Amino acid sequence: MRSTSLAAIVLLPVLPLLSACTTAQMRMPEDFGADTVAYEVSGHSPRRFNEPVRFGPYSALEMQEGSTFAWAVPLPGFDVGRTSKPYAYTLVARDLPPVQVQCLTRAWTAGSGRESRRATVDLTALSGPLLVCGLQLDGEAAQPLEIVRKGRHLEGRLLAPWGGEYTVRGLNGYEGTPITATAPTGYAIVDGTTTLAVVDALNGGRVHMVRALDDEQRVYFAASAAALLLLDPELGGQ
């Protein structure tokens, strides 16, 4: 009996570690309904340069990823740097109008100290959006998708050619735990108080949309989802 008790004592601290070995999952927004469709993503993670991003019937083709460009200006006591990366693609789906997308990500930082003891401050929120995209649906006027940093979270807006304006919210939660991530685990596209689409950026990636969307809305949100999947939220080393 003594040996059994000792074994139980040894195993107790190990149990939380065993449960932590399961693959992390993004926590879905509470208001996201059950009448939705989900698509597994290919080409998101692992990411290969200029590889198409595909999910369900949607494909981001003609991928043109620019190189990450960074520079820094030394000033007395610290330095200021900027990192940027462009990318562009065409989102297509059978029998649906294409969406041409051009994006630019950019981050500003200030740092001081040697590499081993370097302190860095993110200045992106003071200098403009982290992500700026133009989306052009089948020859319509291009509409913006913008993502900005607000503290530890990302927020933004998406305009659509039919006159809609939507909020884009970074999601930082993990399913089954109160722990939040420093980088987004995903994104939600929201109309007022209603979540219309969710982009899961964890693991291989997944895109969810409500079934009530029409074909034009779906292809436009799919183009936006691809832009969010390609976004590096830690651009500039943050």
Side-chain angles (χ1 to χ4, degrees), residues 148-214:
V148 299
R149 282 193 176 124
K150 291 190 176 181
R152 295 178 58 189
H153 301 278
L154 298 183
E155 294 184 12
R157 64 179 189 135
L158 170 66
L159 271 59
W162 54 83
E165 181 170 352
Y166 306 92
T167 300
V168 181
R169 295 174 182 160
L171 306 174
N172 293 72
Y174 291 105
E175 183 64 34
T177 174
I179 296 174
T180 58
T182 55
T185 56
Y187 304 88
I189 299 176
V190 182
D191 183 13
T193 59
T194 304
T195 301
L196 301 178
V198 173
V199 181
D200 183 349
L202 290 182
N203 308 311
R206 187 176 295 177
V207 176
H208 308 254
M209 296 189 219
V210 298
R211 295 183 186 274
L213 297 173
D214 61 35

Side-chain angles (χ1 to χ4, degrees), residues 12-234:
L12 282 175
V14 179
L15 292 178
L17 297 177
L18 294 175
S19 61
C21 292
T22 59
T23 303
Q25 300 293 328
M26 186 198 73
R27 187 191 309 150
M28 298 292 288
E30 293 182 0
D31 67 329
F32 198 54
D35 192 16
T36 62
V37 59
Y39 303 114
E40 300 287 339
V41 178
S42 67
H44 164 57
S45 180
R47 179 74 192 146
R48 296 178 179 86
F49 191 71
N50 278 337
E51 180 183 7
V53 173
R54 307 176 190 270
F55 47 92
Y58 309 103
S59 298
L61 305 179
E62 302 176 3
M63 188 69 66
Q64 300 177 38
E65 291 185 84
S67 300
T68 301
F69 179 71
W71 55 260
V73 176
L75 298 171
F78 66 99
D79 58 71
V80 175
R82 183 178 186 266
T83 306
S84 62
K85 180 179 180 178
Y87 52 90
Y89 55 88
T90 301
L91 194 289
V92 299
R94 186 174 181 178
D95 298 327
L96 292 177
V99 184
Q100 295 182 334
V101 182
Q102 294 186 8
C103 297
L104 177 65
T105 57
R106 52 195 177 187
W108 290 84
T109 56
S112 64
R114 296 181 178 180
E115 194 66 31
S116 60
R117 295 184 178 180
R118 184 172 177 80
T120 303
V121 177
D122 177 24
L123 302 178
T124 307
L126 303 176
S127 59
L130 170 67
L131 171 69
V132 178
C133 297
L135 291 80
Q136 187 175 33
L137 174 64
D138 196 26
E140 298 281 351
Q143 302 294 325
L145 165 63
E146 297 180 349
I147 301 295
V148 299
R149 282 193 176 124
K150 291 190 176 181
R152 295 178 58 189
H153 301 278
L154 298 183
E155 294 184 12
R157 64 179 189 135
L158 170 66
L159 271 59
W162 54 83
E165 181 170 352
Y166 306 92
T167 300
V168 181
R169 295 174 182 160
L171 306 174
N172 293 72
Y174 291 105
E175 183 64 34
T177 174
I179 296 174
T180 58
T182 55
T185 56
Y187 304 88
I189 299 176
V190 182
D191 183 13
T193 59
T194 304
T195 301
L196 301 178
V198 173
V199 181
D200 183 349
L202 290 182
N203 308 311
R206 187 176 295 177
V207 176
H208 308 254
M209 296 189 219
V210 298
R211 295 183 186 274
L213 297 173
D214 61 35
D215 289 340
E216 189 175 76
Q217 290 173 319
R218 285 193 183 193
V219 74
Y220 194 76
F221 287 161
S224 305
L228 295 170
L229 287 167
L230 290 167
L231 169 63
D232 178 5
E234 297 183 325

